[in-house]
Amino acid sequence: MKKHLLFATTIIIQTSSLFFANTSSAQTVSTLAGSGYSGFTDATGTAAQFSNPTGIAIDVSGNVYVGDRVNNRIRKITPAGVVSTLAGVNMVGFLDGNGTVAQFSDPNGVAVDASGNVYVGDKNNHRVRKVTPASVVSTFAGNSTAGYTDGTGTSAQFYSPVGIAVDTTGNVFVADFDNHRIRKITPLGVVSTIAGSGTAGFADGTGTAAQFNYPAGVAVDASGNIFVADAGNNKIRKITPAGVVSTVAGSTAGFTNGTGTAAQFNYPTGVAVDAYGNILVADEANNRIRLISPNAVVSTLAGSTIGFTNGIGTAAQFQYPYGVAIDASANVYVADMMNNSIRKITTSVSVSNFDVKNNVKIYPNPASVSFTIECTGLSNAKLQVMDIVGKELMKQSFSTDSYTLNIENLPAGMYLIKLSCEQGTATEKIIKN
């Protein structure tokens, strides 16, 4: 390829599964599927094989869809790690049809809508393809000629479409890589340009006054804001529903955690956004997964130097992670391209030897101003509020059976609350609204 556990006033944790085994909260990287070697095998977990997987998406049932680029296939992984082929055959070409009759050429980004339809950025065919749950492949927009034309269906033209996102109403957004533009396709197949002049460069502005430099990934939030992994500019950009383009974070190529343009990325390719405004970034050339908070603070979720290691946070290793997705439980999935694997990042929450559900009440959840924690029979209790990568934001000791903590000044989002006492420790996710 070119060139936040938060709190307000009183909520009971509604879960019966909080018996854990003595670990603290951390971002734990594991392998969902893939052997690590390039190849093609449908199987379970690490018995399966991929070849340079790039795009990744998750449906409402927790199934993961993968743009298996060199294999020219779209793969599906169940929550149990069972890998199958949804569509495509190991042959470079173009053909609409059912399942393995269909042909792709370098399928990159994938997105899935509420009905289970998968949209594919079919890069070298210069098309956006649609795959139904029954594996019927059709051309949603674009034709075989690389170019730039807004229009309907196959009358429109793209030039190496890669990243794909879909909103709740069925609009599809495309990172049109070699056109340096962000395009929109309505459910009826009408293609228009959201932003980008068509010339590689960098400019914030409105619509076609803005410039991108090989945009590789797109994501859309519930308010209709589009987030772009602007790979060539080493930045994460935002496009409002009115087409106003701004820079969320990033500057020159490099690696620095910080706020906004003080942070650095190195060829970011994948982007995802959760319901609370947290942005996940596959920072490809830095071999890391980065997190951007709603107030533009950039941190490292997982990854360090190039390699392959499962582990916690920066002890884990990736090799050119390309695509990233996040589910409703804040689990993060990564298309680890050169490791030929699909990785999963979870927040481990644990407790030693006491039942949080029966001994501790935290309420409300979600919370907006404060939260109350009620404990029975706990000694020397300490409370920590952390962001989702484990950075401590607030800390308080208390000895009463009930304690209220004001969190009014924390921004909205997802947090972790860690309770420590002589009986053990527990960590749980909570939402501030």
Side-chain angles (χ1 to χ4, degrees):
M1 177 169 293
K2 294 180 185 178
K3 0 249 179 218
H4 342 18
L5 176 103
L6 281 134
F7 318 99
T9 303
T10 329
I11 160 207
I12 299 173
I13 297 179
Q14 299 286 344
T15 177
S16 58
S17 60
L18 292 180
F19 287 98
F20 305 98
N22 202 19
T23 65
S24 60
S25 93
Q27 311 304 321
T28 302
V29 180
S30 60
T31 301
L32 178 66
S35 68
Y37 297 97
S38 178
F40 171 74
T41 305
D42 283 336
T44 299
T46 56
Q49 288 184 306
F50 300 88
S51 188
N52 289 183
T54 50
I56 191 165
I58 305 166
D59 69 15
V60 294
S61 300
N63 297 298
V64 177
Y65 299 88
V66 180
D68 193 6
R69 188 175 68 85
V70 175
N71 278 325
N72 294 293
R73 292 173 167 100
I74 308 303
R75 313 287 288 281
K76 177 181 178 180
I77 313 172
T78 70
V82 179
V83 181
S84 59
T85 298
L86 184 68
V89 63
N90 192 21
M91 178 185 299
V92 175
F94 168 75
L95 188 65
D96 286 334
N98 292 343
T100 56
V101 171
Q103 293 178 336
F104 298 89
S105 182
D106 200 358
N108 271 246
V110 293
V112 59
D113 67 17
S115 299
N117 299 298
V118 178
Y119 299 87
V120 181
D122 193 6
K123 181 173 181 271
N124 289 344
N125 277 323
H126 311 293
R127 292 172 166 95
V128 176
R129 313 285 288 281
K130 179 180 178 179
V131 188
T132 70
S135 297
V136 179
V137 180
S138 61
T139 298
F140 193 50
N143 57 59
S144 60
T145 303
Y148 170 70
T149 304
D150 284 336
T152 300
T154 56
S155 68
Q157 288 180 309
F158 297 89
Y159 192 177
S160 304
V162 287
I164 298 284
V166 59
D167 68 15
T168 55
T169 59
N171 295 299
V172 175
F173 300 91
V174 182
D176 196 0
F177 188 75
D178 280 309
N179 273 325
H180 312 289
R181 292 175 166 102
I182 306 303
R183 314 284 290 279
K184 175 183 177 180
I185 314 173
T186 71
L188 296 178
V190 179
V191 180
S192 60
T193 299
I194 297 292
S197 67
T199 301
F202 170 73
D204 285 335
T206 301
T208 56
Q211 287 183 308
F212 298 90
N213 189 3
Y214 298 107
V218 286
V220 58
D221 68 15
S223 299
N225 298 298
I226 303 164
F227 298 90
V228 182
D230 192 4
N233 279 322
N234 301 293
K235 295 176 172 70
I236 304 304
R237 315 284 291 279
K238 177 182 177 179
I239 311 173
T240 70
V244 179
V245 180
S246 61
T247 299
V248 177
S251 53
T252 56
F255 172 73
T256 303
N257 287 324
T259 300
T261 55
Q264 288 180 303
F265 300 89
N266 194 354
Y267 207 78
T269 48
V271 65
V273 60
D274 71 11
Y276 314 106
N278 297 297
I279 303 168
L280 280 298
V281 180
D283 192 5
E284 184 186 312
N286 276 324
N287 299 292
R288 291 171 169 93
I289 305 304
R290 312 286 290 281
L291 171 72
I292 309 175
S293 72
N295 55 352
V297 177
V298 180
S299 57
T300 299
L301 188 72
S304 53
T305 56
I306 189 170
F308 178 81
T309 303
N310 287 324
I312 295 174
T314 56
Q317 290 179 304
F318 300 91
Q319 187 172 189
Y320 300 108
Y322 190 97
V324 64
I326 186 168
D327 68 16
S329 299
N331 298 305
V332 178
Y333 299 82
V334 180
D336 193 3
M337 181 171 63
M338 297 306 292
N339 277 324
N340 301 294
S341 299
I342 305 303
R343 314 286 288 280
K344 181 178 180 180
I345 309 174
T346 59
T347 300
S348 61
V349 290
S350 59
V351 144
S352 61
N353 299 325
F354 73 96
D355 183 353
V356 175
K357 180 176 183 291
N358 293 325
N359 285 277
V360 180
K361 297 179 181 179
I362 303 173
Y363 57 92
N365 186 5
S368 57
V369 177
S370 64
F371 74 92
T372 295
I373 184 165
E374 293 181 355
C375 320
T376 302
L378 304 185
S379 305
N380 300 321
K382 295 180 180 180
L383 178 69
Q384 292 171 276
V385 179
M386 302 175 289
D387 64 21
I388 66 171
V389 295
K391 179 182 178 181
E392 183 182 278
L393 304 176
M394 303 175 73
K395 179 170 65 174
Q396 185 65 51
S397 298
F398 62 97
S399 57
T400 60
D401 288 344
S402 178
Y403 182 79
T404 298
L405 182 66
N406 188 292
I407 44 88
E408 188 172 10
N409 292 329
L410 290 176
M414 180 178 290
Y415 294 82
L416 303 173
I417 181 171
K418 181 179 180 181
L419 177 67
S420 303
C421 61
E422 291 182 359
Q423 288 83 353
T425 60
T427 306
E428 179 59 23
K429 298 172 185 176
I430 195 169
I431 303 303
K432 182 183 184 256
N433 55 22

